[in-house]
Amino acid sequence: EPEVTQTPSHQVTQMGQEVILRCVPISNHLYFYWYRQILGQKVEFLVSFYNNEISEKSEIFDDQFSVERPDGSNFTLKIRSTKLEDSAMYFCASSRQGHSGNTIYFGEGSWLTVV
Amino acid sequence: AQRVTQPEKLLSVFKGAPVELKCNYSYSGSPELFWYVQYSRQRLQLLLRHISRESIKGFTADLNKGETSFHLKKPFAQEEDSAMYYCALSWGVQGAQKLVFGQGTRLTINP
């Protein structure tokens, strides 16, 4: 069964450094997402992406964050200058369609620790 | 505002006992609700969604619009059901679907 894959599984970075988290969505999916979960808190929506542009973003997704689909398979989340509070598990997800009843499939997550 | 509440952070039951994980939501429109499960060191996986009205691994969930609830139930718990369970509400315009998650309930099935 096809799966969303994410790299790295764990990354430690110094405050102020740039981080790129990578994801390979399921191949026939058209909608891509990033969610995050700070330790002990809820899974939160960050951004959705379709047709090579952001379709929706949350208030968390400020100018420090950006997403890109650099080629036909990868979908990346970049944090330009990391802060301590960016430490979290970041989940990439994808879906075949974009309506609200559609199933979203998640990757295993990338655990980011900012020190 | 859209909100999902799972009142129990931890739930522990014995094998063979019934289990019910509570989920309440707040949403002004017609809700699309899901249960996701996360087994130890694994990804979030869809367990079931209300629109399909199916039973997966013995679990069922009924949408009660009057009580704004979508509780997850299983009549006889098994040890392999131990996991983290998240209730989620999906909303948004076409192409901008978002999931709002509850806090999650950690279910432990004791032998």
Side-chain angles (χ1 to χ4, degrees):
Chain A
E1 186 177 329
E3 293 179 335
V4 176
T5 57
Q6 291 184 240
T7 54
S9 57
H10 189 192
Q11 182 163 351
V12 180
T13 189
Q14 288 204 325
M15 193 168 55
Q17 294 296 305
E18 177 184 283
V19 160
I20 297 176
L21 305 178
R22 291 182 168 79
C23 169
V24 179
I26 294 173
S27 62
N28 63 349
H29 285 187
L30 303 174
Y31 298 84
F32 314 117
Y33 314 86
W34 284 99
Y35 286 76
R36 80 169 185 191
Q37 186 177 31
I38 295 172
L39 189 64
Q41 298 186 24
K42 295 184 179 185
V43 178
E44 302 173 290
F45 169 79
L46 290 179
V47 66
S48 59
F49 190 87
Y50 169 70
N51 200 25
N52 278 321
E53 60 183 24
I54 291 173
S55 45
E56 183 88 18
K57 60 182 180 180
S58 72
E59 58 190 23
I60 302 168
F61 195 88
D62 60 23
D63 292 343
Q64 294 295 320
F65 291 89
S66 63
V67 289
E68 192 179 28
R69 188 154 163 83
D71 52 44
S73 59
N74 290 284
F75 178 52
T76 62
L77 174 70
K78 182 191 291 186
I79 308 174
R80 191 157 53 89
S81 177
T82 50
K83 303 187 280 273
L84 294 176
E85 53 265 38
D86 294 327
S87 295
M89 179 73 90
Y90 289 81
F91 294 103
C92 177
S94 69
S95 64
R96 180 93 173 92
Q97 299 172 3
H99 61 77
S100 60
N102 190 51
T103 299
I104 294 178
Y105 296 85
F106 286 83
E108 290 189 316
S110 293
W111 183 249
L112 175 65
T113 303
V114 182
V115 296
Chain B
Q2 299 74 25
R3 181 178 294 176
V4 175
T5 304
Q6 292 179 251
E8 303 138 329
K9 279 193 172 181
L10 303 170
L11 182 63
S12 183
V13 302
F14 285 101
K15 177 182 171 181
V19 62
E20 181 179 47
L21 290 87
K22 291 184 167 50
C23 171
N24 288 89
Y25 67 91
S26 173
Y27 182 53
S28 57
S30 186
E32 300 284 355
L33 288 152
F34 300 79
W35 276 98
Y36 278 84
V37 60
Q38 188 174 32
Y39 300 104
S40 180
R41 298 193 184 90
Q42 295 186 28
R43 70 190 65 227
L44 281 164
Q45 304 173 32
L46 178 69
L47 181 61
L48 53 81
R49 49 184 188 151
H50 95 272
I51 196 170
S52 53
R53 293 181 167 275
E54 55 198 342
S55 173
I56 304 293
K57 298 184 180 181
F59 285 97
T60 58
D62 290 317
L63 177 63
N64 186 324
K65 290 186 179 180
E67 296 182 357
T68 60
S69 68
F70 188 56
H71 302 327
L72 183 68
K73 298 176 185 179
K74 184 169 183 176
F76 307 104
Q78 298 171 309
E79 288 185 65
E80 54 265 33
D81 296 328
S82 293
M84 196 75 180
Y85 290 80
Y86 294 95
C87 183
L89 180 149
S90 176
W91 71 287
V93 300
Q94 170 69 22
Q97 178 188 9
K98 295 183 283 287
L99 286 173
V100 175
F101 284 87
Q103 189 82 14
T105 298
R106 182 169 297 282
L107 176 65
T108 301
I109 308 301
N110 299 307

